[in-house]
Amino acid sequence: MAGPRLATLALAVLLAAAVAAPPAAVRAAISCSTVYNTLMPCLPYVQMGGAMPPQPCCGGIRSLLAQANNTPDRRAICGCLKNVANGASGGPYVTRAAALPSKCGVSLPYKISTDVNCNTIN
């Protein structure tokens, strides 16, 4: 019973944040909702594993990396990924998520981890 309520609350918060967000020209950094939406194709791989993540997942990682052309954006993306890692319910999820960049042939300036210090990212 709490699951659907929590999901509804989380969706409401995300929608409210999207409505209240300033225009892209004013925004200081990439938003977590942009990060989450861009990486949504990675979710099945993170949840179930497999030999390789789907191509749209790798494309999303490449897209985020291309958009992160300044320190605030890189730190914002790092923080979003760290929040997801912290919210993961253990198991292989964080390990699979951390392996995504290398499986996609992409090098990130930080690792996907609950321990990463995003404030040190340049």
Side-chain angles (χ1 to χ4, degrees):
M1 180 83 91
R5 285 188 194 159
L6 185 58
T8 302
L9 178 61
L11 180 59
V13 169
L14 282 174
L15 288 174
V19 169
V26 178
R27 202 170 305 142
I30 293 174
S31 71
C32 282
S33 87
T34 297
V35 173
Y36 302 151
N37 287 334
T38 303
L39 297 179
M40 191 59 69
C42 299
L43 190 58
Y45 176 83
V46 171
Q47 290 176 328
M48 296 176 284
M52 288 295 290
Q55 195 54 36
C57 169
C58 294
I61 293 171
R62 287 186 192 95
S63 172
L64 279 178
L65 189 59
Q67 292 176 55
N69 56 12
N70 58 61
T71 298
D73 283 341
R74 286 187 288 275
R75 288 182 180 177
I77 293 169
C78 175
C80 298
L81 296 175
K82 182 176 180 174
N83 287 342
V84 170
N86 283 328
S89 56
Y93 305 124
V94 175
T95 302
R96 288 183 192 138
L100 281 170
S102 65
K103 288 205 172 256
C104 291
V106 177
S107 177
L108 294 181
Y110 47 82
K111 65 180 197 163
I112 298 173
S113 164
T114 57
D115 300 328
V116 66
N117 180 354
C118 296
N119 293 324
T120 62
I121 305 300
N122 289 320

